[in-house]
Amino acid sequence: MSKHEFRPEPGRKHIIALTRWHSILALIALLITFAFSLYGIAGGIAKYARAGENPWGLFQWFTTDCSFLTVFSASMIIPFAVQGIRNKYFSYPKWIAMFHYSGMLCTTLTLFIVLTFMSWVDPNTAFGDYNWYLHIVSPSIVIIAFFLVDSGYLYTLKDSVIATLPVLMYICVYAWQVFCIGKVNGGWEDLYQIGVNLPIPIPAGMLATYLLTLLLSLLIGWLDNRLTLRRRKKLMAGLWSADTKPVMIKVEVFGLGRYMGEHADAQFVEMPLDLIRMISDRYGLTTEELARPYFRGFLDSINVKQEGQQDQRS
């Protein structure tokens, strides 16, 4: 069986051709996220240094912590995007995707609170000087970039709750440092003037902030799931008609395995299980039926590559 035995119908494409732009688009979006978020942190540190203040105090601000989380998550995914460009298949672990999801949530919360609360209470802190970039420009761009990175995962209610944990941790730490310890005893200053401007009791305000965070998390998860399902539908529409013979589908999956094997390390077996499952659902084949030709193609390619390397050494 050869990867060249089957050619798709006119107007149809090979699976690998349909997925080749995902990695490029993801890498661009991740680099934008990394650059804008890192610039936000660096600019804040420089501002503190010029004022003769301890730069570590910058991390008392929620916005800075958001930027740090998005920098961390983007830096974790970028290598997978680079690898995806190499083998034309973009995939990364869900636990890393959860960091990205959570960073996106924190960024969205920052933008929302700035526009609905801080802009009325303290416009200068919200938009003045460097804060215009930190609170408006960077979050807006990072939010757009998030939805361009196709994680391939469908987020559940549990995932949406887990994504709120960094916000919940910050709320608890801020309340402890500001209202329990107090600045005079070595705690934090009430940077957001919550004790002065919050129109409701502080515990109620904390609960309201978390509920808002959870609502935003559910909205982000729902939007990202919709985009993921739309991308899957578009991917499947680019394949063949539903009555295509199973043997032809298996030949194509064999070719996919060969291609992945050509660009993989011999010690690392990568299987696009989500893609294979989508194909199995569309054409009424089991995952096992498609996994076998995929691995045959993958191993065939690895063996050919190893034989070529042995011939070069001999």
Side-chain angles (χ1 to χ4, degrees), residues 222-288:
W222 179 79
L223 287 173
D224 195 67
N225 288 348
R226 295 276 294 181
L227 288 173
T228 298
L229 290 173
R230 182 178 296 180
R231 291 184 184 112
R232 290 181 180 180
K233 184 177 180 180
K234 184 178 179 181
L235 177 65
M236 290 297 101
L239 294 177
W240 321 281
S241 59
D243 59 352
T244 301
K245 294 181 179 180
V247 66
M248 295 182 176
I249 304 300
K250 293 178 182 179
V251 169
E252 176 70 12
V253 173
F254 176 85
L256 175 63
R258 283 198 55 125
Y259 185 91
M260 297 292 282
E262 289 175 3
H263 298 84
D265 297 328
Q267 294 80 12
F268 179 73
V269 178
E270 184 174 6
M271 181 179 183
L273 187 58
D274 55 342
L275 187 58
I276 288 176
R277 282 174 174 165
M278 282 190 284
I279 297 171
S280 68
D281 291 340
R282 176 174 171 80
Y283 298 105
L285 299 169
T286 66
T287 304
E288 291 77 9

Side-chain angles (χ1 to χ4, degrees), residues 165-233:
L165 291 180
V167 179
L168 181 61
M169 291 173 59
Y170 182 85
I171 291 173
C172 294
V173 171
Y174 188 90
W176 175 260
Q177 289 286 341
V178 174
F179 304 114
C180 295
I181 299 177
K183 184 179 180 181
V184 294
N185 297 316
W188 294 358
E189 180 183 354
D190 188 3
L191 301 172
Y192 296 102
Q193 297 297 302
I194 292 175
V196 177
N197 297 304
L198 195 66
I200 56 178
I202 291 171
M206 293 170 58
L207 177 61
T209 301
Y210 179 74
L211 291 177
L212 171 63
T213 303
L214 181 59
L215 180 62
L216 289 174
S217 183
L218 291 170
L219 178 61
I220 291 168
W222 179 79
L223 287 173
D224 195 67
N225 288 348
R226 295 276 294 181
L227 288 173
T228 298
L229 290 173
R230 182 178 296 180
R231 291 184 184 112
R232 290 181 180 180
K233 184 177 180 180

